[in-house]
Amino acid sequence: MITMVPKAELHCHLEGAASPDLVRKLAARHAVTLPAETFDADGNFAWDDFLHFLKVYDIASSVIRTPEDYRDVTYQYLMDCAAEGAIYVEVMSSPDHAAAVGMSYTDHLEGIAAGIEDARSESGIEGRIIVTCVRHLGPERGVEVARQVVANPHKLVTGFGMGGDENAFEPRDFAPAFGIVHATGLPCTVHAGEVAGAQSVRAALEALPVQRLGHGVRAMEDPELVRELADRGIVLEVCPGSNIATGVYGSYSDHPLLELRAAGCRITLNSDDPPYFDTTIGREYDRASAVFGFDDASLREVTLTAIEAAFVDEETRENLRQKVVA
Ligand SMILES: [Zn+2]
């Protein structure tokens, strides 16, 4: 049973949102035989540690090859979210993945945009795109992605961000990339405080023009930093199921979601790479209720925080807000 409280999601990687069934369908579409190790006996993605996860993720993502594939991944993901009561989802696109399979920035974007439009006309769900660069590919590649964002404005591209290996390079190395996009008025977010500790969050906040943090949970290791996050109203894109699946925390009782919230930090709930972490946005809300004790009013508050922090125009934001408070 998924709670039918209206939900909003700010942190989901599109390539990581493709279900095993869709990945098998896309593999067939391109006459690709995936290695047997990609799936377990039940047909789910199979991985046993973080490095293996990255490998399986890359194998599965490699079948997303055309604008139509991107449209299908986006459409199916948003329709699944809508079926669980989500009214708004931001998906992170990765032009570097598209480039790796020979697709142009604009082609991959048009595919994603078509998926968003089709899902909206069928279900009413709103979607936006955060274009991301990949930290371990380096600052120069980041600048290239940023230039593409600025050179090809798109009404559904409403933010910029960065994922990838938090231990590669320093946030300040990416200040030029973020600066290029931020100068045009697009808001930014960045992964920090997931794999690396509180210092990574501090370094990101000092160097980059961000108003949200992907994860950010390990800020908890530095009480002064937690106060700063609360004072500045930085919104945390918290992904509890992902954090447990990847071993950032050993168990939900070790997860700092409640402490961060009690300290005044602005919290949202997100699925990150849902089929890999055996989660969905609906299950994240359910778990917040079952494990963290959120009642429906608290879950609505989480959704309202996500809508306040959404990278979206004010008219859409108000429409979304009305769906939560109504
Ligand atoms: Zn992420």
Side-chain angles (χ1 to χ4, degrees), residues 291-316:
V291 177
F292 297 116
F294 284 53
D295 58 14
D296 278 8
S298 305
L299 292 176
R300 274 176 199 274
E301 216 175 277
V302 168
T303 304
L304 285 172
T305 300
I307 289 168
E308 281 163 20
F311 293 163
V312 80
D313 61 279
E314 292 311 314
E315 189 186 338
T316 307

Side-chain angles (χ1 to χ4, degrees), residues 11-13 92 163 191 194 214-215 239 242 272-273:
H11 189 117
C12 177
H13 302 265
M92 281 180 270
H191 281 63
E194 176 195 15
H215 298 281
C239 314
S242 160
D272 210 5
D273 302 290

Side-chain angles (χ1 to χ4, degrees), residues 89-152:
V89 169
E90 283 176 14
V91 293
M92 281 180 270
S93 88
S94 174
D96 289 306
H97 171 266
V101 294
M103 217 185 315
S104 75
Y105 176 81
T106 47
D107 278 356
H108 107 286
L109 214 54
E110 286 312 321
I112 298 169
I116 290 176
E117 303 284 4
D118 289 351
R120 175 171 40 207
S121 53
E122 258 180 68
S123 72
I125 192 168
E126 285 286 350
R128 294 293 186 274
I129 304 164
I130 301 175
V131 175
T132 57
C133 61
V134 179
R135 183 158 169 170
H136 54 263
L137 296 183
E140 281 160 31
R141 184 62 205 153
V143 164
E144 275 174 52
V145 173
R147 288 204 176 116
Q148 285 176 319
V149 173
V150 171
N152 303 279

Side-chain angles (χ1 to χ4, degrees), residues 3-319:
T3 169
M4 284 319 283
V5 166
K7 303 167 187 72
E9 176 164 74
L10 305 180
H11 189 117
C12 177
H13 302 265
L14 204 43
E15 288 83 13
S19 68
D21 279 346
L22 183 54
V23 165
R24 280 186 284 267
K25 188 174 144 195
L26 297 179
R29 182 181 287 174
H30 300 299
V32 170
T33 305
L34 291 166
E37 63 165 338
T38 313
F39 305 104
D40 65 18
D42 298 324
N44 297 316
F45 292 125
W47 58 278
D48 43 34
D49 60 27
F50 196 72
L51 286 179
H52 192 209
F53 156 67
L54 292 178
K55 189 178 169 202
V56 172
Y57 186 99
D58 279 346
I59 291 170
S61 304
S62 72
V63 301
I64 308 169
R65 296 183 174 184
T66 65
E68 185 194 9
D69 297 346
Y70 266 109
R71 179 265 170 212
D72 291 353
V73 170
T74 309
Y75 170 78
Q76 189 195 311
Y77 183 63
L78 292 183
M79 291 302 286
D80 288 350
C81 288
E84 292 188 333
I87 57 172
Y88 180 75
V89 169
E90 283 176 14
V91 293
M92 281 180 270
S93 88
S94 174
D96 289 306
H97 171 266
V101 294
M103 217 185 315
S104 75
Y105 176 81
T106 47
D107 278 356
H108 107 286
L109 214 54
E110 286 312 321
I112 298 169
I116 290 176
E117 303 284 4
D118 289 351
R120 175 171 40 207
S121 53
E122 258 180 68
S123 72
I125 192 168
E126 285 286 350
R128 294 293 186 274
I129 304 164
I130 301 175
V131 175
T132 57
C133 61
V134 179
R135 183 158 169 170
H136 54 263
L137 296 183
E140 281 160 31
R141 184 62 205 153
V143 164
E144 275 174 52
V145 173
R147 288 204 176 116
Q148 285 176 319
V149 173
V150 171
N152 303 279
H154 190 291
K155 65 180 172 146
L156 294 179
V157 173
T158 54
F160 182 71
M162 177 166 72
D165 182 356
E166 259 184 73
N167 291 313
F169 303 96
E170 287 297 321
R172 64 172 176 272
D173 300 327
F174 296 90
F178 277 76
I180 286 168
V181 180
H182 193 64
T184 68
L186 278 191
C188 301
T189 178
V190 67
H191 281 63
E194 176 195 15
V195 176
Q199 183 48 39
S200 76
V201 174
R202 196 173 281 289
L205 286 178
E206 279 168 6
L208 304 175
V210 293
Q211 56 204 69
R212 303 191 331 218
L213 290 170
H215 298 281
V217 282
R218 290 191 58 191
M220 198 63 220
E221 294 159 20
D222 178 348
E224 204 176 302
L225 177 60
V226 171
R227 265 194 301 279
E228 188 182 331
L229 293 178
D231 289 348
R232 289 176 60 178
I234 302 286
V235 170
L236 303 181
E237 303 158 7
V238 184
C239 314
S242 160
N243 292 158
I244 300 303
T246 61
V248 174
Y249 298 102
S251 69
Y252 286 105
S253 54
D254 296 331
H255 196 282
L257 175 77
L258 289 176
E259 284 111 306
L260 288 164
R261 180 166 169 261
C265 291
R266 301 171 75 199
I267 297 296
T268 63
L269 291 169
N270 305 276
S271 67
D272 210 5
D273 302 290
Y276 293 88
F277 303 147
D278 192 25
T279 192
T280 63
I281 185 61
R283 275 185 245 167
E284 293 297 328
Y285 271 66
D286 273 2
R287 197 156 35 226
S289 161
V291 177
F292 297 116
F294 284 53
D295 58 14
D296 278 8
S298 305
L299 292 176
R300 274 176 199 274
E301 216 175 277
V302 168
T303 304
L304 285 172
T305 300
I307 289 168
E308 281 163 20
F311 293 163
V312 80
D313 61 279
E314 292 311 314
E315 189 186 338
T316 307
R317 193 189 317 281
E318 188 49 34
N319 289 339

